[in-house]
Every structure is written in structure tokens, then in C-alpha cells.
Amino acid sequence: MAKRIQISQHGGPEVLQLVDIDLADPAAHEVQIENKAIGINYIDTYFRSGLYAPASMPSGLGTEAAGVVSKVGSAVTVLKPGDRVVYAQSTLGAYSERHNVDANKVALLPDAISFEQAAAAFLKGLTVHYLLRQTYEVQPDEVFLFHAAAGGVGLIACQWAKALGAHLIGTVGSAEKARLAKDSGAWATINYREEDIAQRVSELTDGKKVRVVYDSVGKDTWEASLDCLQRRGLMVSFGNSSGPVSGVNLAILNQKGSLYVTRPSLFGYITNREELQLASSELFSLIASGAINVDVPEQQKFALADAQQAHKTLESRGTQGSSLLIP
């Protein structure tokens, strides 16, 4: 038996229920992991609300956690019981005491990195890796715009940009979040509640604007993001925290300077163990060196049974950086 958070219908945080499940032994290519810390990500709210639909109901939630391998499937050779590991692309169900995960989705965790650091950083860090290193390879001294800079992904992006010697302009919703982003390495911040984003980007770049915008907000910032781009610039839309971008007239890309747009996801960049190893090695190196700090405030660590409150806090935009469930 294992306890897990489960949903039987879509809705608000109230649909999250703590239940007991009979967990089967791992399949041939799976490992069973005793979770020590579980990552909470905004995408989890999409599955809960119905924006993204689980394959079937009832369903578990969450795809990211760190812990210890307790059992291995018959075909698994790269992992063994007792290994410290982290994963971020599992089937839904990581909000659980134990979870069966495809072994190719699991990375060995260096001793220098704690379970809490790993669960707080893995999905978000792999996301920043594909954004800044693959979707568009940000160069030293390059200026670019990154929305929600004080969120979990954003704070890692601020630190990664600083490590690359690049200049990240981050949008934030308060003076406190501006301070947090600047302390994490943002070159400049824009308070979207008080400032015009496109106008401020133009001022910060002496009218040159930027070659790339990374936007996880979606509907509310779509057009402002396009207005921040140079001719033939790239709009990277990788999230929907304000709602999805829909009904787009593609002619707007022509009108605003023959722009490019992409809607990437981690699953398009990490498709096998080799790609996972490449991205996780760079992320772990930056965490171990101290270039990226992912320590989680105590008030953003929730017991597994308190998943409802964790989601309420996340959706209120009252969090800074990453949040965790602790089984």
C-alpha cells in the first residue's frame, strides 16, 4: 500500500484527495522509487483543472520527484536498489509515497545534491536547459526577455543566464519579486503591473529590442511579447499560466517584423536516456558549483496530505521559486 494524491474529476484544488493505493511491482523496464521530495509544477494545475486531460480517471498527479530506488524491473541494468535518483517525466502519479517510473526517465543523483534540491530543480532546470541552450542558444552579453522571472523556472533562468554571461530582462508582479529576480542574476526587471513591457524593453535596449522572448504566461502577454522582438525575432511560448494563446491570426507575425514563434516542451527535447544525461549533467554541475541555488523556503514545503493548500498557494502567485510536497 502507498498513499497518493488522486483526482476523480477536474476542478479546483478541492478535487485533490489523499488515498491509499495498491502499488504493483515495477514492470520490466521500470523502477520503483520511494519518494523523499516531490516537485510541484504549474503544469500539475493544468491536469487537475482539465486544460490537459489525464489518460483516464481516477488519476494520479505530478511527474517529478527525488528519492531512493526500492525495486527494479527485470530488464533494468542501469539502476539498482539503494540508488539516489531524480525524475521529471514520469507518468502521472509522482504525488505519492512510492511511484513506478520508466528507468530511462530516471537520472542518478550526485551525493552533493539533496533530495529537496533535486525535486525543486529537475523539471524546471531541464526546462531552462532546453530553452536557453537548445530552442535558442543564448550568447554571452546577449539581452533577452524572460517572463515570470521570480517563478520557479524564472529564478533558475536568472541564475543560468548570469552563468552564461547573458543579460536577462525579467518581468515580475511586485517590487519584492523584482528584488528576488535581481538577486538571482536578472540584469533588469519590469513590473508588468506598473510598466509597459514593450516600451520598457525598448528603453533598456536603446530601441534595439531583443532577438528572443521566453513566455510562460500565455494569453495575457502574447502581443506585448511580440512587440519586444527585433525583426525576424523568435517568440518562445512555453506555458499558459494566464490561459492558452488561441485564435491567432498568423499575419500578425508578418506585420510585426517577419517573426518566428515556437511552442516547445521538454518532451520534444528529451526523448531518450542520452539526451537526459546531457541536460542533467549540465544542470547538476551548475547546482553543485553553487551557480544555481534552488533551496526552498520552509513555508513552501507542504505535507503530501496538504496538496490542496499547496495548489491554492501556487495559483495565488504567492510563491517565490519552487515548492515541494514532502511524503
Side-chain angles (χ1 to χ4, degrees):
M1 298 289 287
K3 292 187 181 297
R4 79 163 181 175
I5 295 296
Q6 183 170 285
I7 59 172
S8 298
Q9 63 185 39
H10 296 301
E14 69 280 356
V15 303
L16 301 175
Q17 300 297 320
L18 184 68
V19 301
D20 290 310
I21 60 166
D22 289 316
L23 186 63
D25 286 338
H29 294 277
E30 292 181 333
V31 294
Q32 187 170 111
I33 298 169
E34 181 183 349
N35 291 332
K36 301 296 186 181
I38 301 163
I40 303 172
N41 295 285
Y42 212 90
I43 194 173
D44 301 342
T45 70
Y46 299 164
F47 282 103
R48 189 209 71 220
S49 69
L51 180 63
Y52 296 165
S56 62
M57 291 286 195
S59 173
L61 209 63
T63 62
E64 174 185 39
V68 177
V69 175
S70 56
K71 297 179 182 180
V72 299
S74 59
V76 175
T77 58
V78 295
L79 297 166
K80 64 184 185 303
D83 281 344
R84 301 175 75 252
V85 294
V86 60
Y87 60 91
Q89 293 177 290
S90 75
T91 54
L92 293 176
Y95 285 18
S96 181
E97 292 176 331
R98 287 179 285 126
H99 191 33
N100 292 336
V101 184
D102 181 341
N104 284 331
K105 305 293 187 183
V106 178
L108 284 166
L109 183 62
D111 290 339
I113 300 173
S114 71
F115 293 124
E116 290 189 1
Q117 286 177 313
F122 203 50
L123 180 61
K124 299 173 183 70
L126 294 180
T127 298
V128 174
H129 180 270
Y130 86 71
L131 291 172
L132 303 192
R133 306 291 284 149
Q134 295 178 290
T135 303
Y136 176 96
E137 190 170 0
V138 173
Q139 300 299 309
D141 296 321
E142 181 165 14
V143 181
F144 65 97
L145 180 66
F146 202 102
H147 286 289
V153 172
L155 288 178
I156 293 176
C158 289
Q159 296 174 82
W160 208 314
K162 183 179 180 180
L164 292 172
H167 302 311
L168 180 149
I169 302 171
T171 65
V172 295
S174 69
E176 171 62 19
K177 289 191 173 184
R179 182 199 60 76
L180 190 63
K182 289 291 289 289
D183 287 349
S184 295
W187 176 68
T189 59
I190 300 170
N191 187 333
Y192 63 83
R193 299 184 191 278
E194 300 174 354
E195 300 174 280
D196 181 278
I197 295 172
Q199 179 182 330
R200 187 65 183 130
V201 166
S202 183
E203 292 170 355
L204 288 166
T205 59
D206 295 325
K208 297 176 182 177
K209 301 186 181 182
V210 296
R211 293 186 64 187
V212 63
V213 173
Y214 298 99
D215 191 338
S216 63
V217 178
K219 179 179 64 176
D220 288 356
T221 51
W222 164 252
E223 193 150 349
S225 292
L226 298 182
D227 288 336
C228 293
L229 286 166
Q230 297 174 8
R231 181 170 59 96
R232 293 185 293 179
L234 174 63
M235 165 64 168
V236 183
S237 177
F238 69 101
N240 315 285
S241 63
S242 70
V245 176
S246 60
V248 175
N249 176 4
L250 288 179
I252 195 173
L253 302 178
N254 172 33
Q255 295 161 8
K256 293 184 180 294
S258 295
L259 304 178
Y260 294 88
V261 63
T262 183
R263 181 61 173 88
S265 75
L266 185 62
F267 290 94
Y269 285 85
I270 295 183
T271 63
N272 56 51
R273 188 162 196 86
E274 290 72 26
E275 291 171 345
L276 177 64
Q277 180 65 30
L278 175 68
S280 61
S281 293
E282 188 169 353
L283 173 63
F284 291 155
S285 177
L286 289 168
I287 295 173
S289 72
I292 290 179
N293 175 22
V294 288
D295 292 337
V296 177
E298 287 300 319
Q299 66 269 25
Q300 289 176 211
K301 298 176 186 178
F302 301 87
L304 184 62
D306 294 332
Q308 290 187 8
Q309 184 58 47
H311 273 223
K312 290 176 183 176
T313 304
L314 181 66
E315 290 182 300
S316 74
R317 301 196 178 185
T319 62
Q320 296 177 344
S322 300
S323 299
L324 296 173
L325 292 174
I326 308 297

